[in-house]
Amino acid sequence: MAQQTIQPSPGAPEALPPDGRRPAGTVRPRRAPRPRTVVVTAVAWLIAAVFLLPYVQMVITALRPAGELRDATYLPTEFAWSNFIDVWRESNLGSNLRVTLLVAGGSTLLVLLVAIPAAYYTARVKYRGRKLFLLLVLVTQMFQPTSLLVGLYREFHQLDMLNSVWTLVLCNAAFNLAFAIWILTAYFSAIPVQLEEAAMIDGLGRGGALLRVTLPLALPGVVTAVIFTFIAAWNEFVMGLTLSTVPESQPLTVGINSFIGNYTVQWNYLFAASVIAIVPVVVLFAFIERHVVSGLTAGSVK
């Protein structure tokens, strides 16, 4: 009698051998995406397009010739790549970019040098006034730089520190220090102290345990503090405009503003300089985006 072969029904799950392994050379059939997944993906792409559209428009305007700035067409008849060369040669954009790199990098480094020990001590030592200190750190986040500009200007004028890169470094570090201390304190508090005690039993001191054990575990928090401090210092405008009056010592945000005149605006140069300004931040974020996402979501699930 011929053996009857039973075909599985279309909705039944695929049968596997007793060992649970799929035979070699077989390809797992792809399931059709669910309608909900298709809708969510389409909506996500639509939202991304809405957020990216201004940047696309910025790049297109940066490549427009001067004679086509007021044309109603979306794309120019020809792309003027020379706008990037002209804006670099005919302005102080190179000096402004150097100042911004020094200010953002110096501010971030200074914030880390101060915030890491302060946050570590606050997380590990239950000293008197600890809650008051954390509350004071949080309250300082409510002060806007614009409300302190007059006092800052008078102070640095008396110290003869106007038009100095280090003045902007100190101001940006001061206004971003509270956030870094707050977020790093939470990360250090979440790391078990027993790990440091075990490292000190093996011969490491307090500093060695911090550098070799605690900091690697708190790396997502450190990277989060770095990226937020760097971007805040990179985008700062008001203090740079007030404390730096010499064009060569002004940051990039103030230098870009120079393309806006009293009666005319050089839109092609303005957007070309804006494209140059966002490239370093995009590159930095692309390298450490993985750590930033893990830093923002760490602790959300126990």
Side-chain angles (χ1 to χ4, degrees):
M1 180 182 297
Q3 185 177 2
Q4 183 180 4
T5 303
I6 302 176
Q7 298 292 337
S9 60
E14 182 184 2
L16 295 177
D19 57 358
R21 298 181 180 180
R22 191 179 303 276
T26 60
V27 179
R28 184 174 183 176
R30 295 183 60 183
R31 295 182 179 179
R34 298 179 180 179
R36 181 180 177 182
T37 303
V38 175
V39 172
V40 171
T41 303
V43 172
W45 277 105
L46 180 61
I47 295 175
V50 170
F51 279 98
L52 290 176
L53 189 60
Y55 296 95
V56 175
Q57 182 63 45
M58 179 178 64
V59 175
I60 293 175
T61 306
L63 295 174
R64 280 185 180 274
E68 298 184 15
L69 291 176
R70 297 184 181 273
D71 291 353
T73 58
Y74 189 78
L75 293 176
T77 56
E78 61 177 353
F79 293 101
W81 297 97
S82 59
N83 287 341
F84 292 95
I85 300 175
D86 294 340
V87 75
W88 189 268
R89 290 179 178 177
E90 299 177 6
S91 65
N92 297 312
L93 197 64
S95 300
N96 301 145
L97 180 60
R98 179 182 59 83
V99 171
T100 301
L101 286 172
L102 291 175
V103 170
S107 301
T108 303
L109 180 61
L110 183 59
V111 164
L112 289 182
L113 291 177
V114 178
I116 289 177
Y120 179 75
Y121 185 83
T122 304
R124 288 291 183 257
V125 180
K126 308 300 181 182
Y127 56 88
R128 181 179 299 177
R130 176 176 177 270
K131 293 184 178 180
L132 180 61
F133 171 74
L134 291 176
L135 179 62
L136 180 62
V137 168
L138 185 61
V139 168
T140 56
Q141 287 292 97
M142 302 179 184
F143 292 101
Q144 292 294 328
T146 52
S147 62
L148 305 175
L149 274 179
V150 176
L152 289 174
Y153 183 87
R154 289 175 59 89
E155 180 178 354
F156 286 113
H157 177 70
Q158 293 176 356
L159 296 174
D160 195 21
M161 292 183 62
L162 295 177
N163 300 317
S164 174
V165 173
W166 305 113
T167 299
L168 299 179
V169 169
L170 291 174
C171 290
N172 282 280
F175 282 104
N176 291 285
L177 182 60
F179 172 80
I181 292 177
W182 186 268
I183 193 172
L184 288 176
T185 300
Y187 271 90
F188 288 142
S189 300
I191 298 175
V193 68
Q194 291 81 3
L195 298 177
E196 298 177 8
E197 294 174 351
M200 287 187 285
I201 291 176
D202 292 338
L204 290 177
R206 175 70 69 176
L210 171 62
L211 294 176
R212 298 188 180 184
V213 177
T214 309
L215 273 185
L217 294 176
L219 184 60
V222 174
V223 174
T224 303
V226 166
I227 191 63
F228 276 96
T229 303
F230 187 89
I231 291 179
W234 186 274
N235 294 330
E236 203 284 320
F237 174 76
V238 178
M239 288 189 296
L241 180 65
T242 306
L243 302 178
S244 298
T245 57
V246 180
E248 292 77 10
S249 64
Q250 292 176 336
L252 192 58
T253 50
V254 181
I256 293 176
N257 189 62
S258 63
F259 295 106
I260 303 176
N262 293 330
Y263 304 102
T264 60
V265 179
Q266 297 173 298
W267 291 109
N268 51 344
Y269 291 159
L270 177 65
F271 283 101
S274 301
V275 172
I276 296 175
I278 68 173
V279 168
V281 177
V282 172
V283 172
L284 174 66
F285 192 83
F287 276 107
I288 63 178
E289 178 265 342
R290 174 172 59 90
H291 298 286
V292 174
V293 173
S294 61
L296 292 175
T297 58
S300 59
V301 179
K302 290 186 177 292

